[in-house]
PDB file of all heavy atoms in Angstrom:
ATOM      1  N   ARG A1252     -17.192  15.806  -5.617  1.00 71.00           N
ATOM      2  CA  ARG A1252     -18.225  16.737  -5.173  1.00 71.00           C
ATOM      3  C   ARG A1252     -18.175  17.979  -6.071  1.00 71.00           C
ATOM      4  O   ARG A1252     -17.100  18.445  -6.432  1.00 71.00           O
ATOM      5  CB  ARG A1252     -17.982  17.155  -3.716  1.00 71.00           C
ATOM      6  CG  ARG A1252     -18.077  16.005  -2.714  1.00 71.00           C
ATOM      7  CD  ARG A1252     -18.106  16.525  -1.286  1.00 71.00           C
ATOM      8  NE  ARG A1252     -16.887  17.254  -0.941  1.00 71.00           N
ATOM      9  CZ  ARG A1252     -15.807  16.689  -0.385  1.00 71.00           C
ATOM     10  NH1 ARG A1252     -15.811  15.394  -0.124  1.00 71.00           N
ATOM     11  NH2 ARG A1252     -14.753  17.411  -0.096  1.00 71.00           N
ATOM     12  N   SER A1253     -19.343  18.553  -6.406  1.00 71.00           N
ATOM     13  CA  SER A1253     -19.443  19.748  -7.265  1.00 71.00           C
ATOM     14  C   SER A1253     -18.502  19.620  -8.470  1.00 71.00           C
ATOM     15  O   SER A1253     -17.576  20.422  -8.644  1.00 71.00           O
ATOM     16  CB  SER A1253     -19.093  21.008  -6.474  1.00 71.00           C
ATOM     17  OG  SER A1253     -19.888  21.133  -5.335  1.00 71.00           O
ATOM     18  N   PRO A1254     -18.698  18.611  -9.323  1.00 69.00           N
ATOM     19  CA  PRO A1254     -17.731  18.318 -10.383  1.00 69.00           C
ATOM     20  C   PRO A1254     -17.461  19.468 -11.351  1.00 69.00           C
ATOM     21  O   PRO A1254     -16.352  19.585 -11.862  1.00 69.00           O
ATOM     22  CB  PRO A1254     -18.358  17.121 -11.113  1.00 69.00           C
ATOM     23  CG  PRO A1254     -19.794  17.112 -10.714  1.00 69.00           C
ATOM     24  CD  PRO A1254     -19.837  17.682  -9.336  1.00 69.00           C
ATOM     25  N   ARG A1255     -18.454  20.347 -11.576  1.00 69.00           N
ATOM     26  CA  ARG A1255     -18.246  21.442 -12.532  1.00 69.00           C
ATOM     27  C   ARG A1255     -17.163  22.416 -12.052  1.00 69.00           C
ATOM     28  O   ARG A1255     -16.464  23.027 -12.857  1.00 69.00           O
ATOM     29  CB  ARG A1255     -19.563  22.182 -12.789  1.00 69.00           C
ATOM     30  CG  ARG A1255     -19.477  23.150 -13.958  1.00 69.00           C
ATOM     31  CD  ARG A1255     -20.837  23.742 -14.303  1.00 69.00           C
ATOM     32  NE  ARG A1255     -20.732  24.714 -15.377  1.00 69.00           N
ATOM     33  CZ  ARG A1255     -20.737  24.436 -16.669  1.00 69.00           C
ATOM     34  NH1 ARG A1255     -20.853  23.182 -17.055  1.00 69.00           N
ATOM     35  NH2 ARG A1255     -20.635  25.376 -17.580  1.00 69.00           N
ATOM     36  N   GLN A1256     -17.032  22.550 -10.737  1.00 72.00           N
ATOM     37  CA  GLN A1256     -15.983  23.397 -10.186  1.00 72.00           C
ATOM     38  C   GLN A1256     -14.724  22.588  -9.834  1.00 72.00           C
ATOM     39  O   GLN A1256     -13.598  23.008 -10.093  1.00 72.00           O
ATOM     40  CB  GLN A1256     -16.471  24.115  -8.911  1.00 72.00           C
ATOM     41  CG  GLN A1256     -17.490  25.222  -9.140  1.00 72.00           C
ATOM     42  CD  GLN A1256     -18.880  24.671  -9.424  1.00 72.00           C
ATOM     43  OE1 GLN A1256     -19.303  23.713  -8.790  1.00 72.00           O
ATOM     44  NE2 GLN A1256     -19.586  25.272 -10.370  1.00 72.00           N
ATOM     45  N   THR A1257     -14.934  21.431  -9.244  1.00 76.00           N
ATOM     46  CA  THR A1257     -13.816  20.627  -8.729  1.00 76.00           C
ATOM     47  C   THR A1257     -12.882  20.153  -9.834  1.00 76.00           C
ATOM     48  O   THR A1257     -11.654  20.283  -9.733  1.00 76.00           O
ATOM     49  CB  THR A1257     -14.361  19.398  -7.970  1.00 76.00           C
ATOM     50  OG1 THR A1257     -15.108  19.848  -6.844  1.00 76.00           O
ATOM     51  CG2 THR A1257     -13.230  18.492  -7.495  1.00 76.00           C
ATOM     52  N   ILE A1258     -13.440  19.607 -10.917  1.00 74.00           N
ATOM     53  CA  ILE A1258     -12.616  18.970 -11.945  1.00 74.00           C
ATOM     54  C   ILE A1258     -11.723  19.963 -12.700  1.00 74.00           C
ATOM     55  O   ILE A1258     -10.516  19.742 -12.805  1.00 74.00           O
ATOM     56  CB  ILE A1258     -13.501  18.138 -12.900  1.00 74.00           C
ATOM     57  CG1 ILE A1258     -14.080  16.942 -12.123  1.00 74.00           C
ATOM     58  CG2 ILE A1258     -12.700  17.642 -14.092  1.00 74.00           C
ATOM     59  CD1 ILE A1258     -15.155  16.192 -12.850  1.00 74.00           C
ATOM     60  N   PRO A1259     -12.265  21.095 -13.233  1.00 74.00           N
ATOM     61  CA  PRO A1259     -11.369  22.034 -13.934  1.00 74.00           C
ATOM     62  C   PRO A1259     -10.266  22.590 -13.036  1.00 74.00           C
ATOM     63  O   PRO A1259      -9.114  22.706 -13.465  1.00 74.00           O
ATOM     64  CB  PRO A1259     -12.323  23.149 -14.395  1.00 74.00           C
ATOM     65  CG  PRO A1259     -13.666  22.512 -14.441  1.00 74.00           C
ATOM     66  CD  PRO A1259     -13.666  21.515 -13.325  1.00 74.00           C
ATOM     67  N   ARG A1260     -10.601  22.924 -11.798  1.00 78.00           N
ATOM     68  CA  ARG A1260      -9.578  23.479 -10.899  1.00 78.00           C
ATOM     69  C   ARG A1260      -8.474  22.477 -10.628  1.00 78.00           C
ATOM     70  O   ARG A1260      -7.274  22.808 -10.657  1.00 78.00           O
ATOM     71  CB  ARG A1260     -10.236  23.901  -9.576  1.00 78.00           C
ATOM     72  CG  ARG A1260     -11.119  25.140  -9.711  1.00 78.00           C
ATOM     73  CD  ARG A1260     -11.857  25.410  -8.410  1.00 78.00           C
ATOM     74  NE  ARG A1260     -12.828  26.502  -8.574  1.00 78.00           N
ATOM     75  CZ  ARG A1260     -13.734  26.828  -7.661  1.00 78.00           C
ATOM     76  NH1 ARG A1260     -13.807  26.146  -6.526  1.00 78.00           N
ATOM     77  NH2 ARG A1260     -14.565  27.827  -7.875  1.00 78.00           N
ATOM     78  N   ALA A1261      -8.864  21.240 -10.366  1.00 80.00           N
ATOM     79  CA  ALA A1261      -7.869  20.206 -10.089  1.00 80.00           C
ATOM     80  C   ALA A1261      -6.976  19.949 -11.307  1.00 80.00           C
ATOM     81  O   ALA A1261      -5.758  19.769 -11.180  1.00 80.00           O
ATOM     82  CB  ALA A1261      -8.561  18.921  -9.650  1.00 80.00           C
ATOM     83  N   MET A1262      -7.571  19.946 -12.506  1.00 78.00           N
ATOM     84  CA  MET A1262      -6.813  19.735 -13.743  1.00 78.00           C
ATOM     85  C   MET A1262      -5.743  20.819 -13.911  1.00 78.00           C
ATOM     86  O   MET A1262      -4.567  20.531 -14.166  1.00 78.00           O
ATOM     87  CB  MET A1262      -7.754  19.811 -14.951  1.00 78.00           C
ATOM     88  CG  MET A1262      -8.689  18.652 -15.090  1.00 78.00           C
ATOM     89  SD  MET A1262      -7.986  17.364 -16.110  1.00 78.00           S
ATOM     90  CE  MET A1262      -9.452  16.367 -16.372  1.00 78.00           C
ATOM     91  N   ILE A1263      -6.143  22.079 -13.780  1.00 78.00           N
ATOM     92  CA  ILE A1263      -5.236  23.198 -14.034  1.00 78.00           C
ATOM     93  C   ILE A1263      -4.098  23.229 -13.018  1.00 78.00           C
ATOM     94  O   ILE A1263      -2.934  23.426 -13.366  1.00 78.00           O
ATOM     95  CB  ILE A1263      -6.026  24.529 -14.038  1.00 78.00           C
ATOM     96  CG1 ILE A1263      -6.946  24.565 -15.271  1.00 78.00           C
ATOM     97  CG2 ILE A1263      -5.081  25.726 -14.049  1.00 78.00           C
ATOM     98  CD1 ILE A1263      -8.000  25.642 -15.229  1.00 78.00           C
TER      99      ILE A1263
END
Side-chain angles (χ1 to χ4, degrees):
R1252 296 191 298 269
S1253 304
R1255 191 173 177 85
Q1256 288 77 41
T1257 297
I1258 292 169
R1260 289 174 187 171
M1262 289 269 192
I1263 292 166

